[in-house]
Amino acid sequence: MKKKKILIRIGSLRHGGAEKVLVTFLKNLPQDKYEIDLLLNLYSGKYLKDVPAWINIVYLNKGEMITTNRVQDIPKKAFRVVYQKLLNQFPGLLYNGKLKGKKYDIEFAAIHGMRDEILNSPLEASKKIVWIHNDLSEVKGYSEEEIRKFFGFDRIMVISEKIEQLFKDSAQNETEKNKIVKIYNPLDTEEILTKAEKNLINYKFDVKVPTFISVGTVFPQKGFDRLLKVHKKLLDEGFQHKILIVGDGYDFENIKKLKTELKVDETATLFGFTDNPYPYFKKADFYILSSRYEGFPTVLFEAITLKKKIIATDVSGVREMLRDGQFGLIVENSETGIYDGMKKAISDQNFFQPFISRLENAEMPFSLEKSVAAISAVLDEV
């Protein structure tokens, strides 16, 4: 059987949800069906080591992401920006150079940010697929006109009901509606459970006070600033507890500075990135999602898998994942909502027992096998 030639594009394989989901998907693909080139803007990230050996990695630049404007970093940063803009403006240089004139059956934007790179491909005969992981109605710069551009793809893969509805509302005919495919993210339940049993490092949980854990890339979308401000307010009111934030990102130093300004360095910990956050999930009393917006917060799948007491802001995907509040407490998407949820957790821990009971007896709608099969079907049928 002839293998389908596929080009997949993503910025890097740093520690984000979309990056993790992509690598999980690739690890579960059959090698005999596809020939895949994975094109990275930046050869960087914790998930590089997890990419299967049979997948060919191509990259535009190598090294870590530059998030500062230090004088010594400016030349390299400027070169990367100019180089990538040049290749975007003249894609033939990329396809005839780095990609060696290869003809692909499918070109796949693994995140919405790769939309224009794929749609501007000089390969007119290839089928085009995009994977949408965010509620674009909440993302700055995505007007109705910008969202309409995604219908240039042959398939629009979305990961939640809310994102699916956003695109259906934007579609102008049945042909466009038929391009939209909802598929839950592929996540490995067994891997989560196995890793959760490993020994903890570098953090001591205090059994005397409840600990709230939040895991994610540290940038404004995740609302860690709101979480810290609520943490401070509750402490001032006498509600003793601790906060553990696990993750890294370009906003890390700002959140670290805010933590010090709020004078909560003794009760709030920024742990940074770890390959295995699951032992921390397991030991913490509550999982809290403080996000301003999401697409389908896969971190909640991990919290559900580990049967955690969950508090989550009412963003895209949360009601779907928590079954309209059966599996966790859904709060208003605001500091007030986060405050109310955390206060309830500290003052009345029995309140969460019904959620845990439902989780213990529920059959999860998310399956690694089903998701991989559904995505593979899109690749096979397009």
Side-chain angles (χ1 to χ4, degrees):
M1 182 176 68
K2 184 181 177 184
K3 293 182 180 181
K4 274 199 171 181
K5 294 182 174 63
I6 303 174
L7 174 69
I8 300 176
R9 293 202 65 172
I10 194 167
S12 71
L13 290 179
R14 298 180 81 234
H15 35 272
E19 290 82 356
K20 180 175 183 178
V21 163
L22 172 62
V23 172
T24 300
F25 169 63
L26 294 176
K27 284 164 65 177
N28 288 277
L29 270 185
Q31 182 176 350
D32 61 342
K33 287 182 67 175
Y34 310 107
E35 181 182 318
I36 295 177
D37 287 347
L38 176 61
L39 175 57
L40 309 175
N41 283 357
L42 185 62
Y43 186 86
S44 168
K46 305 293 184 180
Y47 298 122
L48 278 170
K49 64 181 180 358
D50 297 322
V51 176
W54 63 272
I55 290 174
N56 180 42
I57 299 178
V58 187
Y59 55 88
L60 305 184
N61 293 290
K62 195 168 186 177
E64 290 305 308
M65 185 177 289
I66 301 171
T67 58
T68 65
N69 287 314
R70 296 182 305 176
V71 173
Q72 62 266 38
D73 293 333
I74 290 175
K76 182 184 284 187
K77 191 173 184 179
F79 171 79
R80 288 179 179 178
V81 170
V82 171
Y83 181 50
Q84 287 179 202
K85 280 187 176 180
L86 179 68
L87 294 180
N88 288 344
Q89 190 172 355
F90 302 102
L93 295 175
L94 170 64
Y95 281 75
N96 292 322
K98 285 276 184 184
L99 300 177
K100 301 176 181 178
K102 192 170 180 178
K103 305 299 181 186
Y104 295 98
D105 300 299
I106 296 171
E107 295 185 86
F108 189 165
I111 53 172
H112 67 267
M114 287 290 159
R115 178 194 68 189
D116 296 344
E117 283 83 345
I118 294 295
L119 290 183
N120 291 337
S121 162
L123 303 181
E124 295 182 6
S126 71
K127 297 296 182 180
K128 314 285 195 295
I129 300 172
V130 64
W131 204 349
I132 308 289
H133 296 271
N134 286 103
D135 178 3
L136 298 186
S137 66
E138 300 284 349
V139 179
K140 187 177 179 181
Y142 281 89
S143 61
E144 172 64 22
E145 182 182 357
E146 285 299 310
I147 290 173
R148 285 277 318 141
K149 291 179 182 178
F150 285 94
F151 287 98
F153 285 90
D154 296 283
R155 291 291 183 275
I156 303 168
M157 289 182 2
V158 300
I159 62 171
S160 74
E161 289 176 357
K162 187 174 181 187
I163 304 175
E164 180 183 35
Q165 193 58 53
L166 171 69
F167 278 91
K168 282 186 174 178
D169 290 344
S170 185
Q172 294 182 350
N173 51 55
E174 285 302 311
T175 299
E176 289 188 346
K177 283 185 179 179
N178 289 336
K179 292 183 176 186
I180 305 162
V181 186
K182 187 190 80 173
I183 303 172
Y184 289 127
N185 277 336
L187 291 160
D188 194 334
T189 303
E190 289 305 315
E191 180 185 48
I192 293 167
L193 293 171
T194 300
K195 285 187 172 182
E197 296 303 319
K198 304 248 173 157
N199 291 329
L200 285 168
I201 54 171
N202 296 341
Y203 189 80
K204 187 175 180 180
F205 283 87
D206 187 343
V207 296
K208 296 177 183 177
V209 297
T211 299
F212 294 81
I213 188 172
S214 197
V215 180
T217 307
V218 183
F219 50 70
Q221 171 191 343
K222 300 300 180 181
F224 293 137
D225 57 322
R226 304 197 295 185
L227 180 57
L228 288 176
K229 288 173 185 175
V230 169
H231 172 54
K232 170 66 171 174
K233 183 178 179 181
L234 286 166
L235 288 176
D236 288 347
E237 294 176 0
F239 293 96
Q240 296 304 307
H241 65 289
K242 292 193 174 183
I243 297 286
L244 174 60
I245 296 172
V246 179
D248 198 1
Y250 68 76
D251 212 31
F252 188 90
E253 291 302 319
N254 290 332
I255 295 298
K256 185 178 178 181
K257 182 180 176 184
L258 176 63
K259 183 167 68 79
T260 300
E261 288 173 352
L262 292 171
K263 298 179 180 177
V264 294
D265 285 328
E266 295 299 313
T267 52
T269 302
L270 284 176
F271 193 76
F273 179 81
T274 172
D275 286 321
N276 182 16
Y278 305 120
Y280 303 90
F281 268 92
K282 188 176 178 183
K283 289 283 284 185
D285 299 284
F286 298 93
Y287 186 83
I288 182 155
L289 182 87
S290 56
S291 296
R292 290 181 166 89
Y293 64 90
E294 289 282 353
F296 200 66
T298 53
V299 70
L300 283 190
F301 172 88
E302 296 164 345
I304 288 169
T305 299
L306 295 170
K307 309 292 191 284
K308 302 310 300 179
K309 298 169 185 173
I310 298 169
I311 303 165
T313 49
D314 195 1
V315 294
S316 174
V318 164
R319 290 193 172 274
E320 194 175 348
M321 192 168 281
L322 295 183
R323 292 193 182 172
D324 278 324
Q326 289 187 53
F327 292 164
L329 179 62
I330 302 172
V331 300
E332 180 184 280
N333 185 8
S334 65
E335 281 186 33
T336 300
I338 296 167
Y339 168 84
D340 289 341
M342 291 179 67
K343 184 177 178 180
K344 172 69 74 175
I346 298 166
S347 58
D348 182 10
Q349 289 201 32
N350 290 330
F351 175 81
F352 284 83
Q353 196 51 49
F355 299 124
I356 298 301
S357 297
R358 293 187 200 109
L359 282 173
E360 292 289 352
N361 300 310
E363 183 180 337
M364 297 297 106
F366 319 108
S367 158
L368 175 64
E369 292 77 16
K370 287 180 182 177
S371 294
V372 171
I375 300 168
S376 297
V378 172
L379 299 178
D380 296 341
E381 295 165 6
V382 75

